[in-house]
Amino acid sequence: MLEEIKRTAAFIKEHTGDFAPEVGIVLGTGLGGFADGIETLYTLEYKNIPGFPVSTVEGHKGRLIFGRVAGRKVVAMQGRFHYYEGYTMQQVTFPIRVMQQLGIRYLFVSNASGGINTSFRVGDLMVITDHINLMPNPLIGRNIAELGPRFPDMHNCYDKELIAAATRIAEEEGIKLQYGVYVGGTGPTFETQAEYRYFKAIGGDAAGMSTVPEVIVARHMSIPVFGVSVITNCGLSDEVGDHEDVQRQGKKAGVKMEQLFKRMIENLK
Ligand code: HPA
C-alpha cells in the first residue's frame, strides 16, 4: 500500500515538477466551482493517474487541480470517491495519502449534507466541529506505521485554530456560520425519518455520505483538518423541498464557502 502511494506521488511529481502544494482541498458535490478561482498550473484526470481508483460510474468527472489560491500552493480534488460507489475504504482515502506524500500541511474538506439540527436552513454553511462515523473505519487492517499510529487520537479532529479563524473571517465577510457534528453514513439511500431522528438523538447536526473517511486518514497522518458542510436539505422537515430552490440555495452557499476557503487559505500560517 505505502509503495503504491509513493509510486502515485512520484508519477504526479513527474508532471508537476517541484510544485509542492501546502493545502489539500476536497470539493464536495456541487462545490466544484471553487476550482474556477484557482490559478491553475496543472490538471490531472483521475483516470490518467496510476493507482487512483478507476471510476465505474458513467460520466464520472474527477481531476486533481494544482495551482494557487491567494498566492498559496494548493492541490484540489474536483470530485471524490464515495464508499457507496463500491470503492473500498482504502480506495476512498488513497488520494488523501497521496496528497500527504506531495507535502500538504493542511486539509480542507467540503460536502453537501442534510441538516438535522432544526435551527439549520437550506443554504446554511456548517463548520464541522466533530463527526460520528457510521461507516467502516478506513484504518482497519495492518497499520502503516510510517504514516501514523495504530490507535490515532481523534480529539481536536477538526482543528480548533482553523475553526477560530473561520469564525473571525466569517464575521469580517458577513458570512453566517452554523457549527455542528457531521454524521457520516454509507448511503446511497437518504435517511428515513426515523434515521434522521436517530442521528439527532446521538448528537448529530448534519447527515452525509462522505468526508469522514478522508478526515480519519488525514488525522492518522497528523494533518490539521478544516471542514464545511453545505446544508442542501432539512432531514426532519415535512416540507418537500422545491428542487430548484434547493439548487439555487446550494449554489449561493457554494459561493460563500468558496469565499471562506479562500480567505482562510490566505491567512494560513
Ligand atoms: N443525507 C445524507 N447525505 C446527504 C443528505 C442527506 O439528507 N443531503 C445531502 N447529502
Side-chain angles (χ1 to χ4, degrees):
M1 167 84 126
L2 185 57
E3 261 179 33
E4 205 182 349
I5 296 162
K6 288 186 170 174
R7 253 200 316 272
T8 300
F11 169 87
I12 291 172
K13 282 181 190 164
E14 279 172 27
H15 288 76
T16 59
D18 58 4
F19 181 87
E22 300 168 74
V23 188
I25 304 166
V26 182
L27 299 172
T29 309
L31 301 169
F34 182 82
D36 298 337
I38 301 175
E39 265 177 69
T40 305
L41 293 170
Y42 311 98
T43 304
L44 288 172
E45 303 282 330
Y46 294 160
K47 65 175 190 294
N48 296 327
I49 305 175
F52 259 52
V54 177
S55 175
T56 51
V57 184
E58 196 78 30
H60 180 104
K61 195 174 100 182
R63 54 190 185 164
L64 277 186
I65 300 166
F66 295 83
R68 287 181 186 270
V69 170
R72 309 291 292 247
K73 291 186 223 168
V74 307
V75 52
M77 291 181 69
Q78 197 174 27
R80 58 149 59 88
F81 300 98
H82 298 92
Y83 186 59
Y84 64 72
E85 292 175 89
Y87 300 111
T88 64
M89 277 300 187
Q90 281 67 35
Q91 289 176 311
V92 167
T93 53
F94 186 79
I96 308 298
R97 287 175 157 152
V98 170
M99 290 200 279
Q100 185 260 356
Q101 291 288 321
L102 297 176
I104 63 162
R105 296 193 295 117
Y106 298 95
L107 181 70
F108 281 42
V109 291
S110 60
N111 59 57
S113 71
I116 309 165
N117 184 318
T118 49
S119 72
F120 290 2
R121 295 290 168 265
V122 169
D124 278 354
L125 291 188
M126 184 191 87
V127 171
I128 307 175
T129 56
D130 209 341
H131 73 224
I132 294 172
N133 182 24
L134 299 181
M135 301 186 225
N137 194 299
L139 299 179
I140 289 172
R142 194 175 62 79
N143 184 50
I144 307 174
E146 195 178 322
L147 299 182
R150 171 73 291 188
F151 301 107
D153 185 67
M154 286 286 138
H155 282 83
N156 200 28
C157 195
Y158 297 85
D159 192 81
K160 287 196 172 64
E161 282 184 30
L162 292 176
I163 294 173
T167 302
R168 191 165 36 76
I169 288 166
E171 244 166 57
E172 285 169 16
E173 300 282 332
I175 298 170
K176 178 181 133 194
L177 292 181
Q178 304 282 12
Y179 297 84
V181 175
Y182 178 90
V183 185
T186 66
T189 47
F190 287 100
E191 290 69 24
T192 63
Q193 288 289 287
E195 285 165 344
Y196 282 122
R197 286 196 299 273
Y198 160 64
F199 281 15
K200 184 176 156 81
I202 61 173
D205 295 290
M209 308 173 190
S210 68
T211 304
V212 168
E214 292 118 311
V215 171
I216 288 174
V217 163
R219 292 305 299 143
H220 179 235
M221 302 184 295
S222 301
I223 298 169
V225 172
F226 178 70
V228 168
S229 289
V230 170
I231 306 298
T232 57
N233 56 292
C234 292
L236 290 166
S237 151
D238 288 335
E239 283 172 38
V240 178
D242 173 87
H243 183 62
E244 275 183 19
D245 192 44
V246 168
Q247 278 191 326
R248 192 165 50 81
Q249 297 279 7
K251 208 167 177 186
K252 235 167 50 186
V255 172
K256 287 188 288 180
M257 191 215 74
E258 287 157 25
Q259 194 183 355
L260 180 66
F261 270 22
K262 188 174 172 195
R263 287 281 329 271
M264 286 188 67
I265 290 167
E266 192 177 6
N267 279 271
L268 286 174
K269 277 186 256 162

